[in-house]
Amino acid sequence: MAVAYFSITRVFLFIVVILGVTSLSCAARQPPASRQKLKVHKHLKRLNKTPVKTIQSPDGDIIDCVHISHQPAFDHPFLKDHKIQMRPNYHPEGLYDDNKVSTESKEIDNTIKQLWHVNGMCPEDTIPIRRTKEEDVMRASSVKRYGKKKHTSMAVPRIMPKSADPDLVNESGHQHAIAYVEGDRFYGAKATMNVWEPKIQQANEFSLSQIWILGGSFGEDLNSIEAGWQVSPDLYGDNNTRLFTYWTSDAYQATGCYNLLCSGFIQINNNIAMGASISPVSAYRNSQYDISILVWKDQKEGNWWMQFGNGYVLGYWPSFLFSYLADSASMIEWGGEVVNSEPDGQHTSTQMGSGRFPEEGFGKSSYFRNIQVVDKENNLKSPKDIGTFTEQSNCYDVQTGSNSDWGHYFYYGGPGRNPNCP
C-alpha cells in the first residue's frame, strides 16, 4: 500500500507541475496587448470601488457615490484602522470676506457648479468619485504611471535667474508664470482664481492654474501639495476644465497622484468630485467666474486640509504621507503651468489661463486675487516680499498688484507661440 500511495502521490505532483508549466507557458505566449489589458483591468478593479449610487454626468463622466469608509485612501496599509476625522480642529481666521463683491469687478460670479450635479447628488456617508475608464488608463505611458505627473522636479517651478541658459529653461518641458513667497514657515495658503478653458495644442500637454504648498529641496526629496483647475486631455480624455488635487513626497517619483487615483487623500465631502468638470467658465470681455481654494495644516492632528469655495471642506492629506510637510511648508507658489512639448520644433500654442497676457487686465486676462498665507498662529495673512517667476515672459507672463478689494493679486498667462515666442 505504501508503494502504491507513493506512486499515486508522485503522479499527482507530476500532473500539478505539468499544469503549472503549461499555464506559465500560455501566459508567456499571450500577446503583449492582452497582458497589458489584464493589468489595466486589475488596476481598474482597485480604483473603482463598488458604488451605493451612480450618476451619469452630461459630459460623459460617471460619478460613483462610494461609502466614505470604502474610498481608495483606505487601501493604504497605514490607514487600515484609521478613524476618519470628519472636521478639522481649527479653521484659519481670514482677512477677506468671500462673499464681498469688489467695486472694481462686479461681473464676478461665484456660483460655479460641477456638471454632474444636474443629474443628482450623492447621499450622506458617501463621497463622489469620478469612475476611471479603460481608455483613461490606456492613454498613460504605463499602468504604473497612470494618474501621476511625469518624474521631473520642474513640474514645480524652480526659480531661476532671468539670465538662465535658455536650454536649461526649455529642457523640462514645463513652463510657468507664478507668484511666490519663501524664507519662512508656512502652514497653508489661500487664493481666489478665475476659471477658464484654455486651448491645448497636443493631447500630451496640459494647462493648469493652482496653489503649490512646498517643503524640502527641488531634488529627489520634494514634498508638494497642489490644488486648482486644469485642462488635461491625456488624463481625462477631453478638454473640459476640471477641479484637481495632487500630492507627492519624493518629487513625483513613486509617491502621490492626481485626485483619488491612489491611496492618500481622505475625502469627507459628498458634494464635490475631484477631477470632475466645473462650469461655467469665464469668457473674454464677459462674465468672470472664480473659485476659492484654501489648504491649511491642522496643527493638532498634523493633517493638511482642503476647502473649495466658501463652505466645502473636502478632506485632508494625512501628515504621515510627508517628510518636510509633516511640520510646515517652506515655500508657497500660486500661478499657471503648461507642458510645452515643442511640436514641430516650435513652442507650443497651448494657452495658459485665458490665453491673454497680463497687461490686458480684468475680463480678458486670468488672475489670482486675495492671495494669503497661513501663519503659525493659524491666521490668514497677506504675504510679504512676493516674488514672480516665468521662464519665457514672451510666451507667458505675470504682473502683480494690490488694492483694498483684492488685497495682493496678480494677472498671469499668455498664448504660448506668437511672433515673439517662436
Side-chain angles (χ1 to χ4, degrees), residues 163-176:
S163 59
D165 181 350
D167 290 337
L168 179 63
V169 166
N170 292 329
E171 71 178 5
S172 73
H174 289 249
Q175 291 196 268
H176 309 83

Side-chain angles (χ1 to χ4, degrees), residues 186-190 213 294-297 304 329 332 334 372-375 380:
F186 305 103
Y187 296 85
K190 185 179 183 182
I213 312 283
L294 166 64
V295 177
W296 80 100
K297 188 176 180 64
W304 286 89
I332 306 292
W334 304 263
Q372 300 168 82
V373 295
V374 181
D375 67 10
L380 276 162

